Amino acid sequence: MKVENKEPATDPVCGMTETPQWTRSYVYKGVTFRFCCEGCQTKFASDPERYLNPAKKTPAAPAAPGTFYICPMDPEVRSPVPAACPKCGMALEPENVTLDQKENPELADMARRFWISLSMSAPLVAFAMLHMVPGLFPHSLMAAAQWIEFALATPVVLWAGWPFFVRAWNSLVNKSPNMFTLIGFGVAVSYCYSVMATVFPGIFPEAFRDSHGTIGVYFEAGASIITLVLLGQMLELSARQKTGDALRTLLGLAPKTATRISAQGNEESIAIDNIVVGDRLRVRPGEKIPVDGAVVDGRTWVDESMVTGEPIPAEKNIGDTLIGATINAQGSVIMEARRVGADTLLSHIVALVAAAQRSRAPVQMLADRVSAWFVPTVLLVSLATFGVWAIVGPAPSLAYALVNAVSVLIIACPCALGLATPMSIMVAAGRGASAGVLFRNAEAIELLERIDTLVVDKTGTLTEGKPRVTTVLPVGNWTNERLIRLAAGAELKSEHPIAKAVVVAARQRGIMVPESAAFESSTGQGVRADVDGCAMVVGNPEFCRQQGVNISTAQASVERIAAAGETALVVCVSGTVAGVVGVGDHIRPAAREAIQRLQHDGIRVVMLTGDSKAAGQKVADELGIREVYASVLPQDKAGIVAGFKQQGAIVAMAGDGINDAPALAAAHVGVAMGTGSDAAIQSASVTLVSGDLAAVARARALSRATMKNIRQNLVFAFVYNSLGIPLAAGALFPFFGILLSPMIAAAAMSLSSVSVITNALRLRKVRL
């Protein structure tokens, strides 16, 4: 049977699609199979036929969703079962955060091993200390005391510490030395030496013996190291669980049931999972909005603070959107379900935050480069320490050499260095979600701190994006009603907010909007269509001129509307001007304060708009924006952003429309309004759920706090190892006669990791 991986290649065990980061492989019947993790490779190797379908020669079905475990330091490592990371040795954690947080099997196992090891290592350390007291123990009883220590230490080292030895061995097999390589070496050396000294004391030379001819043993060092590392693992695993608290809080917002109105008008209570798109749902005061949708009857105010971070309830009228899991503060409404299940904004937020938490920030590259050389360097330093103490150390020189070499191995564990960045990113992504700021990846968190230029689209970003028709100025014998009717028919198929405003104005006047044919849209400029047998052109003045229409008869009306800071739409019928429609849009309430806060922080704010210079300048003057680019075509926005980048600026672009997508992608950091188009959101690296520019200031504040936190962690980790290794090697002994016990080194190593995680968790409370 010829067995082969199909294209695209997949993991034969779990069915995951292959990525360039996969390094595990296994040859079966002359064919090489690749695996996402060590767990899948081991399962396949134990019984290859079990995971292959001989008839189709394809991998077995994928594992059920939500069953994978990943490494916070190496997110590319994935396993279908709880295990240790083959690269760094850390315990893997569930890929998907769930509301029903189950007991962490790794934490439970480490806790059980810790308490049993503590019960044995505590009396062991006490006993070792007692027989060190001069005169308390006759030297004739030292051999018996060593056997007692051997009996107490062996279960601790060989059973409680067994997971660490397995991880150390795996690190060698995978050629990926890590913290457990050092722990395994250190404990193994001290324990094996002590066993040999107890069982075969006669084989040791004089350099190992004290003035009484006794060979010292270090059972208490090995046992205490295992106990303290277990304690550190317990504290670390417990702290890591808290990084998902923000996501669990978001998941807990969703209601469990909703009230559905049937076609006959009857109301029934159904589970959220049973809602389908198009269902009409009743939401009473105090109830949660069940899914994403729109109001079809009634009026209310909705508290959206849990998702958007905005404390003031938002007014909702017919046609306004509703976000699932937000609270209906007052007023009873009937809504239509538009997005359900995984398509809701809440589900999107959770998925986006989870992906951001698993991404790697550019600053992590520094720690990765250091870590790649760190463990081999520490092993060399440990050997050098042994050699120096063995040659020039006081008697018993070899015993001192052994103790100090072990101390170097233990205190130099690079776990704190590896955790410095990913822990801060995980907490920051969750904190951002609770404040209405969604980061697509860790790079966006890092770059946002460095921006010095913010390019902002006007409509939908600085303004509410809900323009309304304010002025109708017919030309000649045209009436308001007929002008609006034909303009609305031409704009009916357009998605632009201004086009929708014209359609809404017609319907509010009780005008039946006709269907159009031969519809063509020039994004950001205007539309062409056939309505009631008339060739319609509706758009800005320049667009109408490009279509060959002489608009001189409407020039005064255009200037009047532009002077009022509104957008002028010229309506042309069969090649002649029928009139001008003025469309206005209110400035967002928080926009002015947001601009002032950003400018106070030294950010250069630039406004782009497709409107006239007069309309754009009016908005800019109200907001205090000094740079305005008006009459900008959609394809030119990306060019303006690229121009700022060529000048050396670090540029963020904020927008909400389809025509903003290229500029959002071109900027260093694209910021999309959550109320905008899907194209804009997909092109951006940051999404503001509330669609309010004030969230940009919050996002930047979070970015600064996160990068400060990461730098603190990295400095602590580097300083800790820079100072710890020389101390463990005995740098203070020639001056003060002080040596660092392996037990103290183990305690310091565990506490360094916990301190980094604890510092990262402070981001949950950062003020934005």
Side-chain angles (χ1 to χ4, degrees), residues 6 72 80 103 169 221 310 316 407-408 450 481 507 554 587 635 680 691 729 732:
K6 299 295 183 181
E103 181 183 30
W169 174 255
E310 299 296 333
K316 301 293 181 179
S407 294
V408 169
R450 297 165 47 200
E481 182 175 334
R507 289 172 175 168
I587 293 175
Q635 59 268 30
L732 296 180

Side-chain angles (χ1 to χ4, degrees), residues 68-81:
F68 289 96
Y69 295 80
I70 64 171
C71 175
M73 288 172 58
D74 300 286
E76 69 275 10
V77 175
R78 304 173 79 249
S79 170
V81 296

Side-chain angles (χ1 to χ4, degrees), residues 234-417:
M234 281 176 53
L235 296 174
E236 178 184 315
L237 290 168
S238 179
R240 279 165 55 186
Q241 281 191 177
K242 296 180 181 179
T243 60
D245 285 351
L247 287 184
R248 277 183 284 273
T249 299
L250 288 173
L251 289 171
L253 297 178
K256 303 297 185 291
T257 61
T259 301
R260 181 168 61 189
I261 302 175
S262 66
Q264 294 75 30
N266 300 321
E267 297 185 3
E268 59 176 336
S269 179
I270 61 170
I272 292 294
D273 295 339
N274 294 332
I275 298 176
V276 297
V277 174
D279 278 350
R280 291 164 61 89
L281 310 169
R282 181 176 296 280
V283 187
R284 300 180 176 85
E287 293 182 342
K288 290 185 176 181
I289 308 298
V291 294
D292 294 357
V295 178
V296 294
D297 185 26
R299 179 187 181 194
T300 189
W301 283 261
V302 178
D303 179 0
E304 298 179 333
S305 60
M306 293 178 292
V307 178
T308 66
E310 299 296 333
I312 301 175
E315 182 180 1
K316 301 293 181 179
N317 295 298
I318 294 177
D320 288 340
T321 58
L322 297 172
I323 301 174
T326 56
I327 300 175
N328 183 25
Q330 54 179 299
S332 178
V333 296
I334 297 176
M335 65 173 291
E336 179 183 293
R338 299 281 177 84
R339 294 183 179 182
V340 300
D343 294 329
T344 64
L345 176 62
L346 184 63
S347 298
H348 175 72
I349 289 174
V350 171
L352 198 60
V353 173
Q357 289 181 333
R358 294 192 294 270
S359 63
R360 300 173 74 85
V363 69
Q364 177 70 20
M365 297 175 60
L366 172 62
D368 290 345
R369 288 195 296 267
V370 172
S371 297
W373 294 95
F374 189 77
V375 174
T377 301
V378 170
L379 291 173
L380 293 176
V381 171
S382 179
L383 290 174
T385 300
F386 182 89
V388 171
W389 277 90
I391 296 172
V392 301
S397 59
L398 290 180
Y400 276 118
L402 180 67
V403 171
N404 291 325
V406 169
S407 294
V408 169
L409 291 175
I410 300 302
I411 202 169
C413 288
C415 186
L417 183 62

